[in-house]
Amino acid sequence: MTMQAETGRTRRFPINIETISNYVVIGAFCAMLVFFAAFAPGFLSGENLYNVISNRVVLLAIVALGMTIVIAAGGIDLSVGVSMDLSSMVFIMLIAAGLGGFVGVLGGLGAALCVGLLNAVLINKLKINPFLATLGVLFIGQSVQRLSTQGGVPIYLTRAEFAAPFNAIVRSSLLGIPTPMIVLALCLVAVYLAMHRSVFGRYVAALGVQADVARFSGIRVLFHMSMVFVACAVLAGISGILLSSTVRSYVPFAGDSFLLDAIGATFIGTAISSERRPSVVGTLLGVLLLAVMRNGLLLMGYNFFWQQVGIGVLVFVVLGLSFGLRKRAD
Amino acid sequence: MTQAAIEMHGVNKTFGPVRALMDANLVVHPGTIHGLVGQNGAGKSTIIKVLAGIYKRDSGTVRVHGQELDAITPAAIEACGVHFIHQDRLLVPTATVAEAIFLRNEPHIGPFINYRQMNKRATELLKRYFDLDLDPRTLISELSTAKQKIVQITRALANDAKVLVLDEPTAALVSKEVSSLFAVLRRLKADNLAIIFISHYMSEIDEICDVVTVLRNGSDVGVVTPAEAGIEAIVQMMTNRDTSEMYPRRDVTIGEPVLSVNGLTLAGHFRDVSLEVRAGEILGITGLLGSGDKELVSTLFGQSVPDRGEIVLNGKPVSFRSPVQAVRHGIAKIPEDRRAHGVATGLSVGENIALASLDQMSGWGFVNTRTEAAKTEALIKELGIKTPDRHTMVKNLSGGNQQKVVVAKWLSCDSQVYLLDEPTVAVDVGAKVEIYNLMNRLASEGKALIFLSSDLEEIVEMCDRVLVIYRGALIGEYQRGEIDADRLLAAASGAQMEQEGRSA
């Protein structure tokens, strides 16, 4: 009886420390927008915002979505950079061979799929923990790139004869919306539905919280865990193809720089849910936060090294505030 | 009267909407063993965690040996000589016995640990207090639960403990280990230590405690001497309920066989087991530790693949290679380790209930949230699960309510056969009765129940039929009313194997 009365009260006054702690990420994001609008020259210009989104947000968000699924299932995937790079490499090589964009995309995604399947086998059949399994795949993947490119020589396809497939992917638009953003939107919707609306997403959450309970409830643990890693690799593969199409080249190890940002964005995103679980909306916010931070500092004249410091401080502030307030609420 | 070792007065603690402690008092004197009893959720753990400095109290005073403590931290309370032996083993599994005993108190020469001295003193302490010859270099992970408890107590003694708090110390111990633990406690009591003893086992409270504080709904409702008040009175104070209602009766007509097993064998665990369980029947299986009863039930749930024999479900032979297939065939298991296997404590009540039946609440792979909400809400109401709403995390529920969530999960997916492995372990008296009621309800709905328990009294009282398993073979079958707990124990120990065993 007491419980019901108390619940009623919580509903009438939804603002308490616990709820506030969930809005820290959103608050930080707004504060940052205001700050950079005031102090970073040209931050709010349409051109700049378009660049931020098309160069960084789209690519990182797609990788981070995959990472979100994996982390929600209680794993980690250190090989997303490899999935991206191998997809990008195969895509570029197939186009260089004159096989065209369609075959290139299929080949690239196929390469990423192979990385995902390898992870799935290592983790589920050989029972290696995800951290070590994907770390191993990361090393192997880097070597594969070196071995196939004479030690890491980039492949540039800047000649006009190759322009068509790249333009079709990144310079095209549908109803005025650039294709990469449509791809991102599709990925967002698909992963959102999978994680937050589907049976699969529920099972993934159960796996992440307590895998043994999932097994005892008759959930096919191995199958779902495998699907998680495959999905993550394919998403990274999509991002790799978009990256290559933008720069019209394959640069070995370019994907590695996305790994830590993707993990960071996912964990920042957990701060918006009251259960501190990874979520699609949270991850997207995390991605925006990281991208805006980098871009704003750049416009203010700080180079890459200072951007890293900014990101570090951002992570401390957001997670520190959010988890600290949460703990006070307990 | 002597100076009290622990004095807690008017302690309040709330967690969000839940008032865990309301003006609770606890006064413990040196040289006594002080029992702390109450149902799950009564506030036992909370008051102890407040004392341990794990939770911060909202209000109230705490005095240790007369000295008032303002804010308590775990380190400060240990410095006052108050040591806690928590229910979950809190020892580093990769440490040695000596390292665990002298953790943060290592004998040293300069910056280096004096291992020789440490091992020697550990051996002495174990010998002196427990008469135990244990190599101090043994790893904690190699010790039995009982020995780990002993190492924890030794650590407290090595740190000059004045007050010892034991939270469910006997939960994982067999009876011989319990009596040796009690001998130790009595010796420590004679050394003028104050001991706070928390247990669900009323017989232990009766045996060892000098004084008992009874908690109910976050307040202390009485301080009594078990020898004078008697256990029944204490239970009644805890529950506000008469113990005669402990084992509720049911009136069920037993129907057709649902699950039968012929010549089932799992090498090294059980052999040639044949049994059947009918709709509406509660079939008890009991045996000593390691008799194969657990493995039998695990095999029925697809966790192990039998070497020989067949399982027949509703007249059709089936074989399960994993729990996935068992669950699809309508077999449900309520596992012994509820927190590890039964409920996902980090998921909400609703999510847990829906976990095994999402297929039935979804279309095209998507969860139909309206169906899910309706179905889970209905089950929460039906089973009387005490939770603010279905979005509450299961970890915020009491043990008995968590167990109800497990049952709700299986009811939701319409399971026909329920395998209950020690469903009442580590839940309090009130929650036990609720679990018994739930079992009766399942039986009255025509489910078939297989019930494993080491509590022979509940086996005798609850089951329509009891099978005794001994060294992997079924050696006896008894109808309800045919046997009492003592004779059942004798049978389970193999005593009557020759004369009376009517092999099933």
Side-chain angles (χ1 to χ4, degrees), chain B residues 348-412:
Chain B
S348 72
V349 174
E351 284 171 319
N352 265 289
I353 294 177
L355 204 54
S357 52
L358 277 175
D359 288 339
Q360 297 158 30
M361 305 175 187
S362 59
W364 304 98
F366 292 103
V367 180
N368 184 337
T369 42
R370 213 170 297 165
T371 318
E372 187 200 7
K375 212 165 163 184
T376 51
E377 301 265 6
L379 279 163
I380 290 172
K381 211 164 148 196
E382 234 181 290
L383 300 189
I385 299 171
K386 276 189 207 122
T387 170
D389 56 33
R390 70 189 164 91
H391 304 291
T392 305
M393 292 286 120
V394 166
K395 62 170 161 252
N396 297 333
L397 265 53
S398 69
N401 279 303
Q402 290 182 354
Q403 199 67 289
K404 286 191 202 167
V405 171
V406 185
V407 175
K409 174 172 80 181
W410 295 123
L411 278 175
S412 167

Side-chain angles (χ1 to χ4, degrees), chain B residues 284-337:
Chain B
I285 299 181
T286 191
L288 300 180
L289 199 66
S291 59
D293 51 345
K294 305 264 176 207
E295 289 79 7
L296 176 59
V297 165
S298 313
T299 306
L300 294 179
F301 195 56
Q303 290 165 265
S304 314
V305 180
D307 297 305
R308 259 183 295 123
E310 63 167 359
I311 303 173
V312 180
L313 192 63
N314 294 321
K316 285 188 211 114
V318 288
S319 72
F320 311 132
R321 271 173 291 112
S322 72
V324 179
Q325 289 160 323
V327 170
R328 283 213 184 122
H329 281 91
I331 301 208
K333 182 171 180 180
I334 291 155
E336 178 177 7
D337 193 341

Side-chain angles (χ1 to χ4, degrees), chain A residues 197 199 202 210 217 275 277, chain B residues 339 345 365 367 372 409:
Chain A
R197 288 283 174 269
V199 176
R202 274 310 173 75
Q210 240 156 305
S217 302
E275 304 95 18
R277 278 189 223 156
Chain B
R339 283 168 161 276
T345 47
V367 180
E372 187 200 7
K409 174 172 80 181

Side-chain angles (χ1 to χ4, degrees), chain B residues 92-154:
Chain B
V92 184
T94 53
T96 68
V97 167
E99 282 168 348
I101 291 176
F102 290 101
L103 183 68
R104 293 202 284 131
N105 187 26
E106 294 88 353
H108 51 86
I109 309 170
F112 303 106
I113 292 177
N114 185 345
Y115 272 100
R116 228 160 51 114
Q117 172 81 9
M118 192 162 93
N119 290 337
K120 202 173 129 231
R121 279 178 53 198
T123 314
E124 282 168 12
L125 282 169
L126 287 166
K127 185 78 190 159
R128 170 146 59 99
Y129 285 108
F130 301 95
D131 198 23
L132 189 67
D133 288 311
L134 184 62
D135 185 346
R137 286 163 301 184
T138 318
L139 288 184
I140 294 297
S141 55
E142 292 167 10
L143 296 182
S144 66
T145 318
K147 292 225 170 97
Q148 294 195 13
K149 279 269 142 47
I150 285 175
V151 170
Q152 279 180 304
I153 297 175
T154 314

Side-chain angles (χ1 to χ4, degrees), chain A residues 85-100 103-104 108 144-150 153-155 157 162 166 244 249-250:
Chain A
D85 285 332
L86 290 183
S87 155
S88 160
M89 183 181 90
V90 171
F91 170 65
I92 287 288
M93 283 177 166
L94 289 173
I95 287 184
L99 291 170
V103 176
V144 167
Q145 293 179 63
R146 276 186 218 282
L147 293 170
S148 2
T149 58
Q150 283 101 44
V153 182
I155 306 172
L157 299 182
F162 297 116
F166 299 139
S244 282
S249 59
Y250 156 65

